[in-house]
Amino acid sequence: MTDRYAVVGNPIAHSKSPRIHALFAAQTGQDLRYEALLAPLDDFAGTVRRFRSEGGRGLNVTVPFKHEAFALADRRTPRAERAGAVNTLTLHADGSIDGDTTDGVGLLTDLTVNHGLDLAGRSLLVLGAGGAVRGVLEPLLAERPARLVIANRTVAKALELAGLFADLGPVEGCGFDALPGRRFDLIVNGTAAGLSNEVPPLPDDVLIEGGACYDMVYADAPTAFVRWARERGAAHALDGLGMLVEQAAESFRIWRGVRPDTRPVIAALRPGI
Ligand code: ATR
């Protein structure tokens, strides 16, 4: 019987995950169906239960349910515990649920494998201090950067997040007003500012010459942060398409035991290629 998987969120209609997983399944010869599942805002757990009772084997979880997925999981990986969120649920036949998060490894694979960036000894600036940023701090620090600065509009949240990860490396939190005079090799945007087509207030010279910028979100047209990076001559001005495909590939590996080749899938999704 064809195994069923889905991405669950609200809203969900524009998710690219069904297309990504269909391409993975075709490439690896896995017999599965992957759909988009809209959960009511007040019934995430019921939606998961119904999907499982209909034979569902696994779920990707997106906004706004990653915390509820964390709470629903009977077992969680150490990286999900660190991230405080779950984006991959495995629904077992005995009724138990495993939770993992693949967002962090998705970002790191895109940065280091697909784009060949070496973060060891580098200065990293991460913009934002919400759930998206919390999900990527552990793997970024595992690359052993010289420092990782979290800058956020609400300074207290940046300080709190830095404190949560201080045992993993040289991480500090601050507000945007503490950035003038500091320079970074890589800037990762994890704020929601792009949703309103804005870029956080950054000094013009905050990126070193030849530095890289990464926007964790993806849109068909260049995001405001990608445009900002291009205007400042960044050597890499990247959006989150690669991260989206890489986190999906890691979820696919967890469920199916096979890691798909992501390059042709990224190329197929990139508009104009
Ligand atoms: P997510 O789970 O996507 O990270 P979140 O937890 O709501 O969402 O976090 C959104 C992040 O974007 C926060 O860091 C937020 O800053 P505050 O903590 O000060 O709210 C940041 N953000 C949202 N809009 C922003 C804007 N216009 N400029 C700068 N930062 C913004």
Side-chain angles (χ1 to χ4, degrees):
M1 203 176 86
T2 301
D3 290 333
R4 285 182 67 197
Y5 296 86
V7 57
V8 56
N10 187 332
I12 203 63
H14 294 103
S15 171
K16 294 192 185 296
S17 293
R19 175 138 186 250
I20 293 170
H21 283 273
L23 290 168
F24 288 166
Q27 183 200 101
T28 57
Q30 295 279 312
D31 183 19
L32 62 88
R33 188 151 64 91
Y34 188 109
E35 61 215 84
L37 197 59
L38 178 72
L41 290 174
D42 61 356
D43 196 23
F44 172 73
T47 305
V48 173
R49 265 197 306 277
R50 275 189 295 280
F51 185 68
R52 184 174 57 195
S53 70
E54 293 160 12
R57 301 278 303 270
L59 286 165
N60 280 132
V61 182
T62 188
V63 178
F65 298 122
K66 289 184 186 184
H67 292 106
E68 282 185 70
F70 180 94
L72 194 66
D74 300 297
R75 292 173 294 266
R76 292 181 289 263
T77 57
R79 66 185 179 185
E81 294 285 351
R82 270 281 178 186
V86 153
N87 82 336
T88 304
L89 294 173
T90 303
L91 311 174
H92 294 289
D94 66 3
S96 69
I97 300 179
D98 282 350
D100 199 350
T101 182
T102 63
D103 289 328
V105 74
L107 172 66
L108 264 291
T109 306
D110 198 34
L111 284 170
T112 62
V113 178
N114 297 344
H115 297 289
L117 297 176
D118 181 2
L119 308 186
R122 303 293 185 173
S123 291
L124 313 187
L125 173 62
V126 178
L127 309 174
V133 166
R134 182 167 170 181
V136 301
L137 289 177
E138 181 180 22
L140 282 173
L141 287 166
E143 296 294 305
R144 312 195 77 72
R147 65 192 62 79
L148 189 158
V149 174
I150 303 166
N152 195 45
R153 187 172 60 183
T154 309
V155 183
K157 281 166 71 178
L159 295 174
E160 188 189 339
L161 207 48
L164 276 175
F165 287 82
D167 58 321
L168 297 183
V171 54
E172 60 183 280
C174 65
F176 296 117
D177 59 353
L179 295 177
R182 305 193 69 172
R183 309 192 77 200
F184 297 90
D185 300 284
L186 169 68
I187 306 175
V188 176
N189 179 33
T191 70
L195 297 178
S196 41
N197 215 21
E198 288 174 44
V199 176
L202 298 173
D204 266 332
D205 60 353
V206 70
L207 183 70
I208 64 149
E209 211 179 308
C213 290
Y214 197 101
D215 199 341
M216 283 168 56
V217 299
Y218 163 72
D220 285 336
T223 65
F225 184 64
V226 165
R227 292 198 306 274
W228 179 92
R230 285 182 184 165
E231 284 159 14
R232 276 145 195 89
H236 300 266
L238 308 168
D239 68 18
L241 177 62
M243 175 177 175
L244 178 71
V245 175
E246 294 297 345
Q247 63 79 28
E250 179 69 3
S251 295
F252 194 92
R253 185 193 63 73
I254 290 167
W255 294 326
R256 312 299 298 183
V258 199
R259 199 169 203 289
D261 181 4
T262 49
R263 277 171 204 250
V265 178
I266 294 171
L269 267 77
R270 179 71 68 196
I273 293 180

